Amino acid sequence: MGDMARAGYVLAPLLALVVAGCGATPVRPQASPSTAVRGLETVDEDAFWQIVGDAREQASDDPDAMAEVLEERFADAGDDELRGFQRQLVAASRRLYTWRHAAAADMVCGSVGDDGFTDWRSWVITLGRETFERIAADPDNLADVEDLTAGCAGAGELFGAAVSGIYYERHGYDDDTFPVLEPGGTSPTGTPPSGYPRNGTEPLRATLPRLAERT
């Protein structure tokens, strides 16, 4: 058999395979698990507020419904994601942990106590980033919130506990490395005016004039 004949003998089956494959449905490469689903390995401040904003929109501004949105969103999240969100939640809550913010909560809700103040701060976070930033900068800006009493009676409790509840359900309550909202017996920042809180919010009313007009 000549060289040309040999070449034709070898190439013919290959050409047939190529022609047959032209009509076949292409096989797409499968995405690896790491690229198929985008995780939240690091929840930075912007990501945190995006999550809060999304939950607020889905839940029509209802803090309890926002907690349910968070529980569903983070149900299958990794521990690092849970910790990342919780760190941002605690950081935001502590920005509100001042004597003036405590007085604002008391003026609106009555004496809220330590647990009530924690829940109140979580409620302020549910109002979204823009409102939170204004209240964090000056608690007198709480006067711009339409329903002041919406944050009373533990309104933010379920929201504040949504992600930590998932973590503790997995690992129990013995893990003291998970960030917690309660400041652990430390006093709020700033200096309380003379007579507050022992004598109620009257000493601070002059420093929260806009809020005082609404309470």
Side-chain angles (χ1 to χ4, degrees), residues 15-168:
L15 289 173
L17 289 173
V18 171
V19 172
C22 289
T25 302
V27 177
R28 299 184 182 276
Q30 295 295 317
S32 64
S34 61
T35 58
V37 179
R38 180 179 179 273
L40 294 172
E41 294 181 1
T42 301
V43 181
D44 61 15
E45 186 176 13
D46 289 336
F48 169 79
W49 285 113
Q50 182 64 54
I51 293 168
V52 172
D54 290 346
R56 181 174 170 82
E57 182 177 353
Q58 293 177 49
S60 302
D61 306 344
D62 182 328
D64 288 350
M66 289 175 68
E68 294 178 2
V69 172
L70 291 185
E71 289 171 352
E72 181 177 354
R73 177 167 190 151
F74 285 96
D76 298 321
D79 287 351
D80 287 344
E81 297 173 27
L82 300 180
R83 285 180 176 275
F85 180 90
Q86 188 72 8
R87 276 194 294 269
Q88 295 298 332
L89 177 67
V90 170
S93 181
R94 288 183 178 172
R95 288 180 59 189
L96 303 173
Y97 193 60
T98 76
W99 282 111
R100 293 188 74 232
H101 286 89
D106 282 351
M107 287 173 63
V108 172
C109 302
S111 181
V112 295
D114 292 341
D115 290 342
F117 187 32
T118 297
D119 297 338
W120 181 87
R121 299 194 309 274
S122 293
W123 168 75
V124 173
I125 294 170
T126 70
L127 299 178
R129 189 172 196 173
E130 182 178 352
T131 301
F132 166 86
E133 290 291 352
R134 296 191 71 249
I135 295 173
D138 185 352
D140 204 26
N141 289 328
L142 183 67
D144 295 327
V145 175
E146 183 176 356
D147 186 356
L148 294 178
T149 61
C152 302
E157 180 179 8
L158 295 181
F159 174 86
V163 170
S164 62
I166 297 171
Y167 186 88
Y168 289 129

